Amino acid sequence: MPDAVRVRFAPSPTGLLHIGGLRTALYNYLLARQTGGAFVLRIEDTDRSRYVPEAEQDILAGLAWAGLALDEGPTQGGDAGPYRQSERRDLYADAARLLVEGGHAYVAFDTADEIEAMKARRRTDANPTPGYDASTRGEMANSLTLPADDVAARLADGAEHVVRLRVPEDQTITFTDRVRGEVSFDTATVDDQVLVKSDGMPTYHLANVVDDHAMGITDVIRGEEWLSSVPKHLLMYRALGWTPPRLAHLPLILSPTGGKLSKRSADRLGIPVSVAQYREAGFEPEAVVNFLALLGWNPGTDQELFTLPELAEAFDVERIGTSGAQFSLDKLEWFNGQHLRRLSSEEIADRARQSVETAVGPVPDDALVTAAELMHERLTKASDLAQATYLFQDPEAYDPAGVKKRWKDDSAALVRAYADRVEALETFDIETTEAAMRELAEAEDAGFGRIVHPVRLAVTGTTVGAGLFETLVAVGQDASVARMRRAADRLG
RNA sequence: GCCGCGUUCAUCUAGGGGUCUAGGAUGCCACCCUUUCACGGUGGUCACACGGGUUCAAAUCCCGUACGCGGUACCA
């Protein structure tokens, strides 16, 4: 029986939670739920220059919105805390010391200028980006080249320094990625990564390895951008005598035009990129989650519609795809409509309330639910309900194209005649209003369509919407009659 | 440039030597349903990047090329 699965989502609080980040979080969450393991949130705030104070709150809000409940994290705690890297510095310092003492890392004093000078010196057409590595570390100022007492003196002096990983020269690091299979790197292509920055903070690489080990993380699921740093991480695990977690690197989410889905490209294409934007755009979390889950993973069956628990059951790391997936707003909207249709009218009313009230002011509960019932099958987003303003107030205008198409010479007279019949109805419901119209059509020897379309226009101001008689009932007897007469007067 | 990863309809994808004249979904088009618009239903449109090999047989395996993406930071 293997150890219980522990996974983490480890975002850096440098901005709003990105949609790609949410997918990474989702896959981790799914694995945790499916195995009965733990889903941990760790805030990787080791870069002071890029730190955004509101980001952590946004990450928390985004995960909560999507329904990805945390088992451990900075706000609810857990046995493996603290969950912010800025609060775990001692751990990193200890690990760095161990690495240096074991000869797997070293202290370096080079300034940025000196490193740049080395690179300039080494730069050739064949090698435009020389690294700080086994081939160059010998000519730099570090504890490998300087006499021990000099190093000690500098350190005692408080000289600025970093700790670098001492990457061996000629090794091949091979590992198994659960998505990609066997991957290998030659250490000659890996440079001596800075592990501790001159401000004393660890870089991602050190902190990540230390924390994944300290927190008992068994499975790392993260973006493909980390694949090439795996050898560095593995070298550290080996040097520290720790067992590395299982690894799975996710293909990236691409913009609809194929490039990287960056803030900038997304803005240009008019697609949201942060989770907060999806929420504001009126997408349902269930739909976003479903869409994201299928962007790079598939269940191997024809099922496309999933709830979060269904996803947790069907999820399988081995079925994650290998190639980048382009984001498609069309498909997301389809998922949104599908998930909307699975909600009750009460739930839709709830989710549409804000947009509706922004459009027409306060609306009573029952009116909102009635409206939701009527428009249920027609909504792509709950907020679309706000477009049917006629369900809540008299139409202010009549769609010109609709008038042109549907309002004929006899329309005013027919609408007035129908208004009279509706007004006289003792029972006002779908059956009686429809019967009244059929009778009128017969009496006037006018086609049903000659009446129904103008009446819709008169009552709603548009040519589209739910069934007319259902709409009439929702609007109410008096209001319907009044609207018909007013339209007959106005449109002539 | 170098290193790594990838490449099936416009898009998300199934498939992993014969069952593939390549399946599903979105999009688009048409038709049906229908008082409108949707929903739903039916049908259509549309793909194995290219070139070599291996094999009786390749979308599937191997090699190369092209293209794309990632990395090449004291950012994550």
Side-chain angles (χ1 to χ4, degrees):
Chain A
M1 182 74 183
D3 289 343
V5 163
R6 287 177 61 79
V7 294
R8 84 299 196 280
F9 176 51
S12 184
T14 54
L16 298 179
L17 177 59
H18 188 278
I19 194 74
L22 182 61
R23 188 189 58 160
T24 302
L26 173 64
Y27 285 16
N28 277 286
Y29 170 88
L30 258 19
L31 182 62
R33 280 299 154 273
Q34 159 173 92
T35 56
F39 176 52
V40 179
L41 175 66
R42 184 172 73 222
I43 300 294
E44 308 225 328
D45 55 348
T46 55
D47 185 355
R48 293 185 314 193
S49 65
R50 295 209 306 156
Y51 180 71
V52 175
E54 308 76 45
E56 184 179 318
Q57 190 46 49
D58 180 75
I59 290 164
L60 253 11
L63 295 177
W65 177 75
L68 309 188
L70 297 167
D71 296 307
E72 298 171 31
T75 49
Q76 74 266 56
D79 294 338
Y83 293 91
R84 287 186 197 92
Q85 291 188 327
S86 57
E87 297 165 12
R88 320 178 108 244
R89 299 194 196 202
D90 292 349
L91 249 31
Y92 313 130
D94 289 347
R97 197 176 53 244
L98 243 37
L99 287 169
V100 172
E101 284 170 5
H104 303 291
Y106 58 93
V107 173
F109 300 98
D110 317 276
T111 64
D113 286 348
E114 286 163 356
I115 293 172
E116 191 36 56
M118 176 275 285
K119 290 190 177 187
R121 210 158 55 231
R122 290 280 191 150
R123 190 154 17 231
T124 61
D125 285 348
N127 181 17
T129 52
Y132 196 126
D133 57 24
S135 71
T136 55
R137 67 167 82 104
E139 58 193 72
M140 307 303 286
N142 53 53
S143 59
L144 263 22
T145 59
L146 268 17
D149 54 347
D150 186 0
V151 171
R154 289 192 191 216
L155 290 177
D157 226 28
E160 275 214 347
H161 65 279
V162 300
V163 175
R164 284 182 182 271
L165 181 65
R166 185 179 184 177
V167 177
E169 208 160 353
D170 288 312
Q171 280 185 29
T172 300
I173 308 263
T174 301
F175 59 95
T176 300
D177 182 275
R178 294 231 269 164
V179 170
R180 277 149 229 286
E182 198 166 275
V183 179
S184 51
F185 288 86
D186 188 329
T187 54
T189 67
V190 180
D191 52 313
D192 288 357
Q193 181 62 236
V194 168
L195 265 20
V196 180
K197 300 184 260 192
S198 56
D199 66 358
M201 287 294 256
T203 55
Y204 169 88
H205 307 281
L206 207 218
N208 198 261
V209 165
V210 169
D211 286 342
D212 282 345
H213 176 258
M215 293 182 170
I217 299 302
T218 58
D219 293 83
V220 166
I221 302 177
R222 83 241 283 193
E224 193 185 3
E225 69 269 27
W226 295 112
L227 192 60
S228 18
S229 15
V230 170
K232 296 168 186 172
H233 304 166
L234 259 18
L235 249 14
M236 282 188 266
Y237 278 104
R238 190 191 295 169
L240 264 1
W242 297 341
T243 304
R246 285 181 289 266
L247 301 169
H249 288 87
L250 266 23
L252 267 19
I253 295 181
L254 274 20
S255 93
T257 49
K260 175 159 76 171
L261 184 61
S262 65
K263 247 172 202 89
R264 198 197 286 199
S265 68
D267 284 349
R268 187 162 37 78
L269 294 163
I271 55 177
V273 65
S274 71
V275 174
Q277 284 174 303
Y278 282 89
R279 185 174 35 189
E280 283 155 23
F283 288 104
E284 303 303 328
E286 295 89 338
V288 172
V289 161
N290 195 160
F291 170 70
L292 248 24
L294 260 23
L295 207 55
W297 170 83
N298 76 82
T301 67
D302 281 348
Q303 184 177 356
E304 299 231 56
L305 261 22
F306 289 89
T307 61
L308 200 48
E310 286 168 345
L311 283 172
E313 190 167 335
F315 188 67
D316 179 358
V317 177
E318 310 301 328
R319 290 197 67 87
I320 294 173
T322 51
S323 50
Q326 289 186 30
F327 190 92
S328 162
L329 216 46
D330 278 339
K331 192 122 188 191
L332 209 210
E333 285 178 348
W334 177 76
F335 274 114
N336 208 71
Q338 294 296 319
H339 279 276
L340 232 34
R341 251 146 250 138
R342 294 174 147 206
L343 298 179
S344 69
S345 298
E346 284 74 16
E347 287 169 309
I348 289 177
D350 207 40
R351 299 184 191 212
R353 161 152 256 129
Q354 200 178 9
S355 356
V356 170
E357 298 201 328
T358 299
V360 302
V363 173
D365 280 351
D366 58 339
L368 203 55
V369 172
T370 302
E373 265 164 26
L374 233 45
M375 301 302 287
H376 206 145
E377 299 295 305
R378 270 157 262 262
L379 301 173
T380 294
K381 294 178 183 175
S383 57
D384 291 347
L385 192 55
Q387 282 162 24
T389 55
Y390 57 83
L391 290 171
F392 311 105
Q393 61 185 205
D394 292 344
E396 282 155 18
Y398 304 94
D399 170 42
V403 171
K404 188 162 186 238
K405 185 171 179 196
R406 303 294 194 187
W407 197 267
K408 308 295 184 191
D409 291 342
D410 60 358
S411 294
L414 288 169
V415 167
R416 280 199 186 93
Y418 184 59
D420 292 343
R421 288 183 180 241
V422 169
E423 187 174 38
L425 251 27
E426 281 178 25
T427 309
F428 175 75
D429 60 27
I430 296 168
E431 289 71 33
T432 58
T433 49
E434 177 160 4
M437 188 174 289
R438 301 226 177 259
E439 285 159 20
L440 177 64
E442 193 146 338
E444 297 290 330
D445 196 26
F448 191 68
R450 295 291 271 181
I451 310 175
V452 74
H453 296 302
V455 169
R456 175 187 295 282
L457 205 44
V459 175
T460 70
T462 78
T463 58
V464 303
L468 178 61
F469 305 106
E470 287 93 325
T471 304
L472 251 26
V473 171
V475 167
Q477 189 167 17
D478 294 346
S480 293
V481 170
R483 288 183 189 186
M484 285 188 261
R485 288 181 177 150
R486 191 162 72 115
D489 290 345
R490 297 225 286 194
L491 296 171

